[in-house]
Amino acid sequence: MKKHNFSAGPCILPEEVLKKASEAVINFNNDNLSLIEISHRSKPFVDVIENARSLVLELLGLENKGYKALFLQGGASMQFLMVAYNLLNKKAAYLNTGTWSDKAIKEAKLFGELVEVASSKDQNFNYIPQSYKVPTDVDYFHCTSNNTIYGTQMKSFPETSVPMVCDMSSDIFSRQLDFSKFDLIYAGAQKNMGPAGTTLVVVKEDILGKVERQIPSILNYQIIIDKESMFNTPPVFAVYTSMLTLEWLKDLGGIEFIEKVNKKKSALLYSEIDRNPLFKGVAATEDRSHMNATFTLMDENLQAKFDKMWQEANINGLSGHRSVGGYRASMYNALPLYSVQALVDVMQELERIS
Ligand SMILES: *Cc1c(COP(=O)(O)O)cnc(C)c1O
């Protein structure tokens, strides 16, 4: 039986996607060739990447609004510098909500002056700062919508007069937002969209071309747009599998549908964390993530027992990130509700026998 996979990333993918992807590795489109041994410029693969790009814009509600969807490499980590390379002339504003924002800030500092509008570092990033102002004299504002490590999620976004850039790696396609408020969204595929190896960028084309520096071609969004994500060989397997996941999501009913499922899953787990006297949540209640729930045992002496129990219950990937400790249950789109129920059952069993 497949394990209940709470891995924070690379993440669980739908069974049918894994099945189709593995079939395509052997025989793609019944053409007696593998997906990973045909030219990326052949029609079958060009169809794949075009379909993936249009599914992205369709699911996000960004068709015909001046946005382009790109499939790149280098992970979300590459976007930390690519964003600044392409958009930062003099000064940019960043909201610091954890390790990933911190890393984005560090890279952007190579390109200009940075204003940290607020930070939740004082409490090991267990909350989202609320009262801050985005300056008007910056080239853009950058934030991280979901903080994978700490289990916090931005529930609202500031009104800005400058372009808004968002790292949505761990909650893209999980909830409805007005995506047209953002001018650039990026996400490493391996959290909620596909396997590691490709990074999605959705960019409003009119924010580009405003910096004075020379940009190396492979890091230049405009060049990647002009080459339709084929400046060089794209990661064909990662793009194909991401496309399958996007198709799966669309067939289910898109973000509107999956958001309801995600809310059910997180409500089930958080209500157990709050009810069960053996556990406590890590993140501030109002900022809790629907994707990554962080929690700890009240009594650390129960750890060995609890660890043994969830592992025996066929659960994978529950250990917290080393900088937070405790536990982290990542409930990405493909994780079924019954997996969360399996975890809740173990938590209740622990209470019963303790
Ligand atoms: C995992 C993660 C990253 C880093 O992604 P890579 O693709 O490994 O570079 C960046 N931001 C967030 C929010 C993440 O969860």
Side-chain angles (χ1 to χ4, degrees), residues 40-43 45-54 57 67-72 198-199 201 203 205 217 220-236 239:
H40 56 290
R41 301 201 185 276
S42 64
K43 178 151 185 344
F45 186 75
V46 171
D47 287 350
V48 165
I49 201 162
E50 281 179 359
N51 189 24
R53 287 206 313 263
S54 66
L57 296 182
Y67 288 84
K68 289 282 159 62
L70 314 174
F71 284 93
L72 306 182
T198 191
T199 309
V201 172
V203 58
E205 211 171 346
S217 310
N220 188 328
Y221 291 125
Q222 192 62 58
I223 289 182
I224 311 281
I225 291 172
D226 296 343
K227 301 280 180 188
E228 311 202 304
S229 296
M230 295 263 208
F231 172 75
N232 67 331
T233 316
V236 292
V239 171

Side-chain angles (χ1 to χ4, degrees), residues 74-78 80 100 144 146-148 167-170 186 188-191 199 332:
S77 302
M78 174 78 100
F80 298 161
W100 299 121
T144 311
N146 186 70
N147 299 281
T148 328
D167 176 358
M168 292 196 189
S169 290
S170 53
Y186 63 90
Q190 73 278 9
K191 299 285 170 38
T199 309
Y332 295 121

